[in-house]
Amino acid sequence: MGNRVARDDYEWVYTDQPHADRRKEILAKYPEIKSLMGPDPRIKWIVCMMLLVQFLAFYLVKDLDWKWVLFWTYAFGSCINHSMTLAIHEISHNTAFGNNRAMWNRWFAIFANLPIGLPYSAFFKRYHLDHHRYLGGDGIDVDIPTAFEGWFFCTRFRKFVWIILQPLFYAVRPLCINPKPVSRLEIINLAVQVAFDAGLYYLWGIKPLVYMLAGSMLGMGLHPISGHFIAEHYMFLKGHETYSYYGSLNLLTFNVGYHNEHHDFPSIPGRRLPLVKKIAAEYYDDLPHYTSWVKVLYDFIMDDTLSPYSRVKRKLKGEIKQVSCYKYVY
């Protein structure tokens, strides 16, 4: 458990990310894929159903013994809350109401944020578009761990701890790598969330609040679904910086596992990404992929060649427009 990993730096490359060129090539060959772009009307109904399920759970846990509160927090609440963060990821690409109703998507994301307990949606939106546009960009893509994370979490035990603490690092990392001014929408997101949390505590007490907040933290830490954080872009094989997952947990995660397909076509809702793979099969079938997020977590911890440094990173050239989503913030 004390073995140190072999890496002491990121995998620096001097090429552009592969997704833009592949998207252009696929669309030239299969222009019918354009018909898959646009909003998915099912998203808003699925999100509303998930909210109702969590509101019912808040009511049901209020009278349970603490041991059962904690059990259901990890076994059920963490799954729903992590799934809801991935619904917000979908909505951040305007797939709920379309590009013509961009602010509708922003307000709906704040609504979807309620059972997570922590203000997340507006903050996530501002940084996630940079991740797509400048994948691996030094000082821009906050999905990449800091140098401190790569240096310190360098043994099997420390990597295990790092995975448990992933929610903390995802929250703090943007403030260290690429801080941005607080937007009005982020303030609204915070105010709405604090009011909801306070109302929940006033109505049903501390147990639903613990169920909600602990569920979010546990669900994005050491949890089978959180394997997608590692699976998406950590370099298990040299030369590959994005990986897809084709397992059953895609049913709970809005097909976020189809990650090569998603980065190639971020405007296509998750429900339609399997059709992209089917239509352009020759572009995806030979790419390395996963079938188990649990195995990804295990391999990441136990493989001494892997660490938070196992990310492709590139120096960006030319004009960098970090305000790519500000037109939606007022």
Side-chain angles (χ1 to χ4, degrees), residues 81 84-85 88 112-118 120 193 212-213 216:
N81 279 9
M84 193 64 81
T85 66
I88 291 172
N113 198 147
L114 293 178
I116 295 173
L118 302 167
Y120 166 80
Q193 193 63 57
M212 176 175 63
L213 296 173
S216 295

Side-chain angles (χ1 to χ4, degrees), residues 195-226:
F196 176 81
D197 294 355
L200 181 64
Y201 174 76
Y202 176 79
L203 190 62
W204 290 327
I206 191 65
K207 290 179 180 177
L209 200 62
V210 170
Y211 167 86
M212 176 175 63
L213 296 173
S216 295
M217 298 300 291
L218 293 172
M220 289 185 283
L222 189 64
H223 193 281
I225 295 178
S226 73

Side-chain angles (χ1 to χ4, degrees), residues 28-45:
K29 189 173 183 179
Y30 300 107
E32 63 269 28
I33 285 180
K34 292 181 181 179
S35 67
L36 302 178
M37 300 176 183
D40 177 3
R42 295 187 184 183
I43 291 176
K44 53 183 175 290
W45 304 117

Side-chain angles (χ1 to χ4, degrees), residues 99-119:
N99 292 324
N100 293 331
R101 295 175 173 173
M103 281 308 302
W104 289 32
N105 290 283
R106 303 290 78 74
W107 293 120
F108 189 63
I110 291 175
F111 174 64
N113 198 147
L114 293 178
I116 295 173
L118 302 167

Side-chain angles (χ1 to χ4, degrees), residues 26-27 30-41 43 90 93-96 98-99 255 258 261-262 264-281 284:
I26 290 175
L27 286 176
Y30 300 107
E32 63 269 28
I33 285 180
K34 292 181 181 179
S35 67
L36 302 178
M37 300 176 183
D40 177 3
I43 291 176
E90 278 280 289
H93 289 284
N94 292 339
T95 55
N99 292 324
N255 279 337
Y258 286 79
E261 296 84 347
H262 172 62
D264 288 351
F265 300 98
S267 60
I268 295 180
R271 184 169 65 91
R272 300 177 191 144
L273 290 177
L275 293 175
V276 173
K277 182 178 184 296
K278 182 178 180 180
I279 293 170
Y284 299 109

Side-chain angles (χ1 to χ4, degrees), residues 88 106 109-110 113 119-127 183 185-187 189 329:
I88 291 172
R106 303 290 78 74
I110 291 175
N113 198 147
Y120 166 80
S121 64
F123 182 80
F124 173 79
K125 165 71 178 180
R126 298 181 72 191
Y127 285 97
S183 71
L185 206 59
E186 287 175 300
I187 295 173
N189 188 189
V329 182

Side-chain angles (χ1 to χ4, degrees), residues 274-293:
L275 293 175
V276 173
K277 182 178 184 296
K278 182 178 180 180
I279 293 170
E282 70 269 28
Y283 289 91
Y284 299 109
D285 286 349
D286 293 332
L287 292 177
H289 60 272
Y290 306 109
T291 56
S292 170
W293 278 334

Side-chain angles (χ1 to χ4, degrees), residues 16-21 23 86 88-95 124-137 140-144 178 180 232-233 241-242 255-256 258-270 273 311 314 316 320-322 324-325:
D16 293 332
Q17 60 160 301
H19 299 287
D21 287 342
R23 174 170 57 249
L86 294 170
I88 291 172
H89 166 256
E90 278 280 289
I91 298 165
S92 74
H93 289 284
N94 292 339
T95 55
F124 173 79
K125 165 71 178 180
R126 298 181 72 191
Y127 285 97
H128 185 64
L129 296 190
D130 288 341
H131 168 64
H132 274 270
R133 188 169 187 174
Y134 304 110
L135 180 64
I140 302 297
D141 185 358
V142 300
D143 189 65
I144 294 180
N178 186 20
K180 297 183 179 184
E232 290 167 0
H233 296 293
E241 60 183 303
T242 306
N255 279 337
V256 75
Y258 286 79
H259 217 66
N260 267 303
E261 296 84 347
H262 172 62
H263 271 264
D264 288 351
F265 300 98
S267 60
I268 295 180
L273 290 177
R311 291 292 297 263
R314 49 177 57 87
L316 297 173
I320 299 173
K321 298 179 180 179
Q322 299 183 50
S324 55
C325 64

